[in-house]
């Protein structure tokens, strides 16, 4: 039974070798998973950072655009006001429509004479 004992020892050794190999395999697997997780977390972090940066950039851009638009509006308003002022100074306030003027005259004369003066009666119908 010396050979039996030898065989049993060999089998035991084989078994322990297999167990050790399996343990090492599992440990390596675990390590790979850990590395993967770390990489994933880092990637997610980078993505979040980039998204935040983009958000800030777009916010800044929209603020710039708003400011520019406001400035433009202010300039336009100023230009309009100064134009009106200049026209007033020059005394060239836009003249009323001649047809309107004529109608007003006809109305006044009608009130004065009790009827439209014949020469202008046709004109008032315009």
């Amino acid at each position: 039974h010396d050979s039996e004992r030898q065989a049993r020892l060999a089998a035991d050794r084989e078994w322990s070798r297999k167990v050790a190999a399996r343990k090492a395999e599992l440990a390596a697997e675990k390590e790979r998973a850990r590395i993967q997780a770390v990489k994933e977390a880092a990637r997610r972090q980078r993505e979040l950072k980039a998204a935040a940066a983009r958000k800030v950039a777009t916010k800044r851009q929209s603020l710039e655009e708003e400011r520019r638009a406001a400035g433009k509006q202010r300039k336009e308003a100023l230009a309009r006001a100064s134009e009106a002022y200049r026209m007033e100074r020059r005394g060239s306030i836009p003249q009323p429509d001649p047809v309107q003027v004529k109608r007003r005259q006809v109305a006044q004369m009608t009130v004065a004479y009790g009827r439209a003066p014949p020469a202008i009666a046709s004109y008032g119908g315009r």
Side-chain angles (χ1 to χ4, degrees), residues 48-110:
L48 281 172
K49 222 177 204 171
R54 269 198 306 275
K55 197 171 171 190
V56 165
T58 51
K59 180 78 171 163
R60 187 183 298 123
Q61 197 179 356
S62 67
L63 281 173
E64 288 264 322
E65 281 169 12
E66 270 177 40
R67 218 178 58 225
R68 223 173 278 134
K72 204 171 181 183
Q73 279 180 344
R74 201 174 57 237
K75 258 187 203 150
E76 282 173 6
L78 260 171
R80 276 198 302 272
S82 61
E83 180 68 20
Y85 176 73
R86 269 202 302 276
M87 285 176 84
E88 212 171 328
R89 292 285 293 195
R90 231 182 280 134
S92 66
I93 292 298
Q95 291 305 310
D97 173 25
V99 175
Q100 294 286 3
V101 171
K102 202 67 172 165
R103 279 201 187 133
R104 204 171 299 119
Q105 286 173 351
V106 170
Q108 283 166 354
M109 286 170 123
T110 306

Side-chain angles (χ1 to χ4, degrees), residues 1-3 6 9 18 30 44 49-50 55-57 68 77 83 92 100 104 107 109 115-117 123:
H1 40 241
D2 204 27
S3 59
Q6 288 288 304
L9 277 173
K18 273 185 179 167
K30 210 173 185 181
R44 201 169 302 122
K49 222 177 204 171
K55 197 171 171 190
V56 165
R68 223 173 278 134
E83 180 68 20
S92 66
Q100 294 286 3
R104 204 171 299 119
M109 286 170 123
R115 60 182 175 79
Y123 200 96

